[in-house]
Amino acid sequence: MNLSLGVKVLVIVTCILFSTLVGIGAGWISHKPGARKRDGVLVGGGTFGGTLTLCLLTLTVLGVL
């Protein structure tokens, strides 16, 4: 695809926002009462990184980026 730079930036920002929501949800679900907060943050951060990688790789394979 031949997309302009503005559209590509918008797609990347959308991927980042989606990955942030998934990471927040995963960290929130993994948090247990009485546990350290950093364990939930680590799970959320790892999930964010994995989701963002998958989103960007998928869009690259499809030829969007």
Side-chain angles (χ1 to χ4, degrees), residues 34-57:
R36 298 180 300 191
K37 289 184 175 46
R38 72 177 153 186
D39 295 336
V41 171
L42 284 173
V43 169
T47 306
F48 168 78
T51 305
L52 184 61
T53 302
L54 286 175
C55 285
L56 293 177
L57 283 174

Side-chain angles (χ1 to χ4, degrees), residues 8-63:
K8 289 181 181 182
V9 170
L10 184 63
V11 168
I12 291 172
V13 169
T14 304
C15 287
I16 291 171
L17 289 175
F18 175 72
S19 299
T20 302
L21 289 175
V22 172
I24 289 171
W28 183 53
I29 289 171
S30 72
H31 179 69
K32 300 194 181 348
R36 298 180 300 191
K37 289 184 175 46
R38 72 177 153 186
D39 295 336
V41 171
L42 284 173
V43 169
T47 306
F48 168 78
T51 305
L52 184 61
T53 302
L54 286 175
C55 285
L56 293 177
L57 283 174
T58 302
L59 291 173
T60 302
V61 168
L62 291 175

